[in-house]
């Protein structure tokens, strides 16, 4: 296998920002909504929320000094130093140690403040060094060497002298702090810096000596805020409440990640007054922008390989000035069409034709129609084979389900089929096909025991990802691994794409057990819910096809505290998405909500990813789904099989209970 082929097949192996390092300048694709965020000019805190995989970390690392002053960035403007980003990710190994161990919370609070001051100070010095190494011409090595920090000795006698000496001493004190945390008895002897050290000491000392930074605001981007302990969140909330230039705090978290809005005082932080909220999920899932953004990510990653991508300009997706151009119809259509060529798909007519070319599917349809004739004691002139017609494959796919309904007579259905064939007005064209084809296609296709073409195609990958960039990259990685070895062009056939979606879906489901403190329950819930949706879509009548979301009978208020806590965790980790009910009469009722299962699990359960129909659970049933024993959950699943007329021998596509 050639190096070029290996290059293409490794294009999407890095699907986490952490795997790309701190400097993501070359890898970042500016989202089309970037200008709306106004982060580069923010004078007030921002609370950035979004599900796992929405690009929070990538965005923060792009905004931080490692990327903004990357050595790979060719042109840096004077205005770029007016807002210098600092990146800090809450350490899930170290920070949870800052509690108990025989010490009261007040002591740990002082230690955490000291630790945060050291981390931020070190980042500020690193940012100055990043600027010096970049193409920015007004800060050079001699400027940094001339800096003097003797004034900081008033805070601590060790913190004085040159830039290099201060950097060494701050790092030494950070190690001392970390060591003391592992030996709590020594913490009382640890000299702790006051909160004012950065704002009143370090930053003024720098900006007074480097006049080009006189109007600079430093911005600390705190990633994974949800991993902070409650008193640590209160500490950050206090800094948000009282933060102002030259040091502003922005926080990023998963949905429902703020355990408390309290500060260390008597106040709480409030939206608008103290911070602006940025909901990345909303930006990524609303409208059609995610289609274009996804296509650009796909083409950008491939452009880094030996693949020849004519007319793709990586510079366009990095320029703020080009965002309006990227939103033009011509650019959008051209870019998305290139992605569709790489990940082609079948039309519904092509899916139906392809299915009926499979003997197992054709045989299943014929046997089902024949069984319905027998069940309905039909003695007319029409034969079961009359319902399978060349050129009307889509209609043929849904015939068993249409015929199985008590209200539909065989002669009447056949009459509608004849009208369809002649091009006359008919029930197939006016609703039967639109409402039933996908559900019926999935039902009959599962008997083929092969990956399904319904899960192939660029736009399908976009819908399965539902705004989750990490899931999109995981799908692409699985697909590209099955790509041809040619380096001049690439188009992944539909069957290989279908294999890829099934593999990626299973892999993502397998990792659900690691989703925080309720990971095991979340995974069990996905299995139970997925099976029930699958049972629904296995019904011959397809009276309610494409079920993949649910509501609670009586509304949200019927849930107890444990139910609500679980739903918040499911939303936090992107297992469920909450949406306003589309069919409730009273849209203003806060209880009128529905929860959609993440579509990335659809290929695993062989269910539709399109939000069409829902199931209504009682609060008791929902409790069983997320916290019932294996036996009780199994009984609930079986009750739905019985309700929908499925035999005990009919197993779902991937049956598993945890």
């Amino acid at each position: 296998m050639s190096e070029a082929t290996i290059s293409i097949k490794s294009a999407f192996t890095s699907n986490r920002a952490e795997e790309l390092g701190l400097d993501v300048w070359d890898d970042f694709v500016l989202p089309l909504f970037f200008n709306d965020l106004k982060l580069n000019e923010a004078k007030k805190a921002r609370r950035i929320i979004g599900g796992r995989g929405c690009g929070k970390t990538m965005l923060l690392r792009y905004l931080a000094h490692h990327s903004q002053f990357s050595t790979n960035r060719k042109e840096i403007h004077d205005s770029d130093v007016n807002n210098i980003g600092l990146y800090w990710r809450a350490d899930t190994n170290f920070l949870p140690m800052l509690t108990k161990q025989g010490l009261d919370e007040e002591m740990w609070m002082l230690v955490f403040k000291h630790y945060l001051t050291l981390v931020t100070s070190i980042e500020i010095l690193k940012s100055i060094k990043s600027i010096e190494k970049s193409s920015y011409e007004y800060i050079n090595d001699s400027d940094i060497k001339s800096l003097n920090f003797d004034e900081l000795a008033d805070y601590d006698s060790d913190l004085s002298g040159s830039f290099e000496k201060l950097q060494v001493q701050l790092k030494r004190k950070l190690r001392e702090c970390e060591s003391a945390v592992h030996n709590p008895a020594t913490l009382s002897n640890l000299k702790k810096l006051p909160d004012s050290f950065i704002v009143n000491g370090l930053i003024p000392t720098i900006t007074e000596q480097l006049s080009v930074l006189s109007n600079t605001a430093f911005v600390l981007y705190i990633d994974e805020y949800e991993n902070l302990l409650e008193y640590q969140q209160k500490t950050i909330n206090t800094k948000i409440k009282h933060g102002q230039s030259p040091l502003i705090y922005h926080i990023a978290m998963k949905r429902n990640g703020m355990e408390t809005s309290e500060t260390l005082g008597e106040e709480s932080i409030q939206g608008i007054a103290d911070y602006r909220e940025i909901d990345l999920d909303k930006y990524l899932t609303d409208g059609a922008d995610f289609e274009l953004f996804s296509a650009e990510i796909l083409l950008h990653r491939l452009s880094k390989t030996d693949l020849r991508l004519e007319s793709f300009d990586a510079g366009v997706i990095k320029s703020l000035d080009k965002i309006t151009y990227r939103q033009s119809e011509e650019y959008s259509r051209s870019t998305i069409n290139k992605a569709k060529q790489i990940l082609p798909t079948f039309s519904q007519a092509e899916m139906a034709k392809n299915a009926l070319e499979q003997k197992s599917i054709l045989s299943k349809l014929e046997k089902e129609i024949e069984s319905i004739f027998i069940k309905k004691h039909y003695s007319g002139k029409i034969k079961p084979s009359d319902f399978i017609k060349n050129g009307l494959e889509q209609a043929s796919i849904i015939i068993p389900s249409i015929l199985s309904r008590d209200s539909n007579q065989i002669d009447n259905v056949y009459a509608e089929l004849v009208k369809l064939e002649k091009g006359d007005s008919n029930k197939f064209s006016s609703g039967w096909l639109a409402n039933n084809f996908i559900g019926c296609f999935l039902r009959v296709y599962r008997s083929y025991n092969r990956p399904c073409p319904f899960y192939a195609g660029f736009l399908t990958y976009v819908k399965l990802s539902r705004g989750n960039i990490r899931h999109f990259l995981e799908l692409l990685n699985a697909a590209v691994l099955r790509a041809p070895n040619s380096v001049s062009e690439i188009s992944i056939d539909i069957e290989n794409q279908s294999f890829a979606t099934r593999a990626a879906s299973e892999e993502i489901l397998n990792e659900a057990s690691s989703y925080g403190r309720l990971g095991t329950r979340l995974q069990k819930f996905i299995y139970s819910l997925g099976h029930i949706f699958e049972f629904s879509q296995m019904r011959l009548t397809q009276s309610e096809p494409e079920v993949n979301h649910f509501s609670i009978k009586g509304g949200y208020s019927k849930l107890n505290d444990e139910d609500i806590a679980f739903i918040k965790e499911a939303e936090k980790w992107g297992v469920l998405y909450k949406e306003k009910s589309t069919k409730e009469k009273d849209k203003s009722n806060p209880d009128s909500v529905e929860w959609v299962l993440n579509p990335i699990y659809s290929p695993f359960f062989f269910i539709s990813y399109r939000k069409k129909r829902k199931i209504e659970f009682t609060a008791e049933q929902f409790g069983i789904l997320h916290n019932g024993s294996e036996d009780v959950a199994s009984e609930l699943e079986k009750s739905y099989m019985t309700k929908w007329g499925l035999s005990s021998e009919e197993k779902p596509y991937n049956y598993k209970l945890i």
Side-chain angles (χ1 to χ4, degrees):
M1 188 177 290
S2 70
E3 286 297 315
T5 300
I6 293 172
S7 177
I8 291 173
K9 292 185 183 298
S10 63
F12 303 98
T13 53
S14 299
N15 62 7
R16 295 169 58 91
E18 293 84 353
E19 297 169 331
L20 299 173
L22 292 170
D23 180 359
V24 297
W25 180 260
D26 277 348
D27 298 289
F28 191 72
V29 177
L30 271 174
L32 296 163
F33 54 80
F34 186 83
N35 286 333
D36 295 339
L37 305 182
K38 302 186 184 303
L39 284 166
N40 286 332
E41 54 192 68
K43 300 303 180 185
K44 180 186 291 188
R46 295 290 187 267
R47 185 174 81 159
I48 305 168
I49 64 172
R52 189 169 182 263
C54 73
K56 295 187 301 296
T57 296
M58 193 74 169
L59 175 64
L60 267 54
R61 292 191 176 193
Y62 170 77
L63 291 164
H65 65 87
H66 309 89
S67 300
Q68 289 298 300
F69 301 100
S70 168
T71 54
N72 297 320
R73 185 179 179 183
K74 296 178 181 179
E75 187 176 358
I76 297 176
H77 306 287
D78 290 343
S79 59
D80 292 323
V81 300
N82 290 339
N83 193 297
I84 299 176
L86 317 170
Y87 176 80
W88 179 60
R89 181 183 180 187
D91 189 331
T92 55
N93 291 319
F94 177 72
L95 294 178
M97 296 177 61
L98 276 62
T99 187
K100 299 180 181 179
Q101 301 187 69
L103 299 178
D104 59 30
E105 193 172 89
E106 185 175 350
M107 170 59 79
W108 285 119
M109 194 179 301
L110 292 173
V111 173
F112 175 67
K113 286 182 177 181
H114 175 61
Y115 175 78
L116 183 61
T117 296
L118 291 172
V119 167
T120 307
S121 298
I122 292 169
E123 271 299 296
I124 289 173
L125 295 186
K126 285 182 178 179
S127 73
I128 303 301
K129 196 66 178 175
S130 291
I131 297 172
E132 180 268 318
K133 290 181 178 180
S134 73
S135 61
Y136 186 68
E137 57 183 332
Y138 297 111
I139 295 180
N140 54 45
D141 183 57
S142 62
D143 292 325
I144 291 180
K145 287 181 177 178
S146 68
L147 290 173
N148 183 283
F149 294 94
D150 286 346
E151 289 184 10
L152 300 183
D154 294 339
Y155 294 98
D156 187 315
S157 59
D158 294 331
L159 303 180
S160 62
S162 67
F163 180 95
E164 183 177 353
K165 180 184 176 184
L166 178 64
Q167 198 169 37
V168 169
Q169 288 299 320
L170 286 171
K171 289 180 179 179
R172 181 179 67 81
K173 290 187 176 296
L174 181 63
R175 291 191 293 271
E176 285 179 352
C177 178
E178 292 170 342
S179 178
V181 168
H182 284 80
N183 301 276
T186 66
L187 283 172
S188 59
N189 298 322
L190 182 71
K191 187 170 184 179
K192 304 168 189 68
L193 291 172
D195 283 356
S196 60
F197 173 77
I198 296 175
V199 174
N200 295 336
L202 180 61
I203 292 178
T205 301
I206 293 173
T207 56
E208 286 169 7
Q209 297 178 74
L210 296 176
S211 59
V212 293
L213 301 182
S214 58
N215 295 318
T216 293
F218 290 88
V219 180
L220 180 62
Y221 294 101
I222 300 176
D223 200 3
E224 298 191 2
Y225 167 95
E226 71 274 7
N227 290 327
L228 296 173
L229 300 177
E230 185 173 325
Y231 82 83
Q232 294 167 357
Q233 287 194 1
K234 288 180 181 180
T235 301
I236 300 299
N237 293 348
T238 304
K239 293 182 179 296
I240 289 173
K241 184 81 175 177
H242 302 291
Q244 58 184 355
S245 187
L247 182 58
I248 301 169
Y249 294 83
H250 294 339
I251 57 177
M253 70 189 79
K254 295 182 181 71
R255 191 167 303 281
N256 304 321
M258 182 175 276
E259 295 293 332
T260 177
S261 59
E262 295 179 11
T263 65
L264 296 178
E266 296 181 357
E267 300 175 302
S268 294
I269 56 172
Q270 298 176 338
I272 301 179
D274 299 311
Y275 61 84
R276 298 284 184 183
E277 182 165 283
I278 297 172
D279 188 338
L280 292 182
D281 289 335
K282 182 175 177 60
Y283 278 112
L284 290 168
T285 56
D286 285 359
D289 283 354
F290 188 61
E291 289 181 13
L292 174 57
F293 187 50
S294 300
E296 291 174 323
I297 291 173
L298 165 61
L299 297 174
H300 180 50
R301 288 289 186 103
L302 289 177
S303 73
K304 289 172 166 285
T305 71
D306 292 326
L307 183 67
R308 307 292 180 256
L309 290 177
E310 296 182 5
S311 74
F312 178 74
D313 183 0
V316 170
I317 60 175
K318 297 180 181 299
S319 172
L320 288 171
D321 297 332
K322 296 292 185 180
I323 288 181
T324 302
Y325 164 68
R326 287 163 60 197
Q327 292 172 324
S328 68
E329 183 179 351
E330 180 182 358
Y331 173 85
S332 178
R333 182 175 61 252
S334 172
T335 304
I336 291 173
N337 282 341
K338 289 186 184 113
K340 288 179 178 179
Q341 291 169 11
I342 295 170
L343 297 168
T345 190
F346 281 151
S347 66
Q348 290 188 11
E350 289 170 328
M351 282 197 294
K353 189 175 186 301
N354 178 264
L356 292 186
E357 289 173 354
Q358 317 305 325
K359 290 183 179 179
S360 61
I361 292 179
L362 181 60
S363 175
K364 178 181 178 66
L365 287 175
E366 291 172 341
K367 289 179 180 178
E368 287 181 340
I369 296 172
E370 186 175 347
S371 296
I372 294 168
F373 272 50
I374 295 171
K375 183 179 179 181
K376 291 195 172 186
H377 305 291
Y378 181 72
S379 58
K381 296 180 180 180
I382 301 168
K383 300 186 296 295
S385 59
D386 292 337
F387 282 98
I388 308 296
K389 290 182 177 290
N390 291 332
L392 299 181
E393 288 86 0
Q394 282 182 266
S396 299
I397 291 287
I398 72 171
I399 286 295
S401 294
I402 299 298
L403 288 176
S404 68
R405 298 169 189 172
D406 293 337
S407 59
N408 292 330
Q409 300 303 313
I410 292 174
D411 287 327
N412 294 340
V413 173
Y414 185 73
E416 295 297 325
L417 187 64
V418 172
K419 291 178 185 177
L420 173 65
E421 190 173 26
K422 291 180 177 180
D424 297 337
S425 178
N426 63 89
K427 291 184 178 180
F428 283 93
S429 299
S430 63
W432 279 353
L433 283 171
N435 293 330
N436 295 279
F437 175 73
I438 293 300
C440 291
F441 178 80
L442 290 172
R443 189 191 68 81
V444 299
Y445 207 94
R446 70 174 59 248
S447 64
Y448 187 35
N449 196 27
R450 294 287 297 275
C452 180
F454 176 64
Y455 302 115
F458 167 71
L459 293 183
T460 297
Y461 277 27
V462 170
K463 291 171 185 174
L464 288 172
S465 303
R466 200 186 184 277
N468 190 308
I469 300 165
R470 187 178 302 169
H471 288 172
F472 181 67
L473 290 172
E474 192 63 40
L475 289 167
L476 292 178
N477 185 52
V480 168
L481 289 176
R482 295 166 172 81
N485 292 337
S486 168
V487 297
S488 60
E489 60 181 17
I490 181 172
S491 179
I492 305 168
D493 69 62
I494 290 170
E495 184 175 45
N496 281 337
Q497 288 184 62
S498 303
F499 273 106
T501 51
R502 172 63 181 78
S505 180
E506 181 174 15
E507 186 169 341
I508 292 168
L509 177 52
N510 285 340
E511 71 175 20
S513 61
S514 66
Y515 291 173
R517 59 188 180 87
L518 299 182
T520 301
R521 282 173 56 190
L522 284 168
Q523 189 179 60
K524 171 185 171 296
F525 173 78
I526 296 168
Y527 275 112
S528 294
L529 187 61
H531 289 328
I532 291 175
F533 289 158
E534 190 170 5
F535 291 145
S536 173
Q537 297 186 31
M538 288 166 66
R539 288 178 284 180
L540 176 60
T541 61
Q542 288 293 297
S543 54
E544 290 290 330
E546 299 190 70
V547 174
N548 60 6
H549 61 291
F550 69 91
S551 62
I552 303 298
K553 188 175 183 179
Y556 191 75
S557 60
K558 295 295 182 182
L559 300 177
N560 60 36
D561 290 344
E562 187 176 12
D563 294 332
I564 292 172
F566 179 83
I567 277 188
K568 286 184 176 180
E569 278 293 296
E571 291 173 353
K572 176 192 291 187
W573 292 95
V575 169
L576 294 177
Y577 297 103
K578 182 169 67 177
E579 295 185 358
K580 287 290 292 181
S581 175
T582 57
K583 294 184 179 180
E584 294 288 343
K585 293 181 179 180
D586 183 8
K587 297 293 193 301
S588 64
N589 181 359
D591 274 2
S592 298
V593 293
E594 303 166 343
W595 287 273
V596 184
L597 180 66
N598 193 317
I600 195 64
Y601 304 124
S602 299
F604 182 84
F605 293 108
F606 219 93
I607 60 178
S608 174
Y609 53 78
R610 310 192 312 173
K611 182 176 180 281
K612 293 293 183 180
R613 292 167 179 82
K614 70 178 180 181
I615 290 177
E616 187 176 58
F617 295 121
T618 65
E620 181 183 6
Q621 287 173 325
F622 178 72
I624 292 172
L625 286 172
H626 76 80
N627 201 26
S629 67
E630 180 175 329
D631 289 341
V632 174
S634 179
E635 285 302 314
L636 179 61
E637 292 183 23
K638 289 177 182 177
S639 72
Y640 278 99
M641 292 187 72
T642 302
K643 175 183 177 181
W644 292 323
L646 302 176
S647 70
S648 58
E649 287 75 28
E650 292 183 90
K651 295 295 184 184
Y653 191 62
N654 285 290
Y655 191 76
K656 182 176 181 182
L657 269 175
I658 296 180

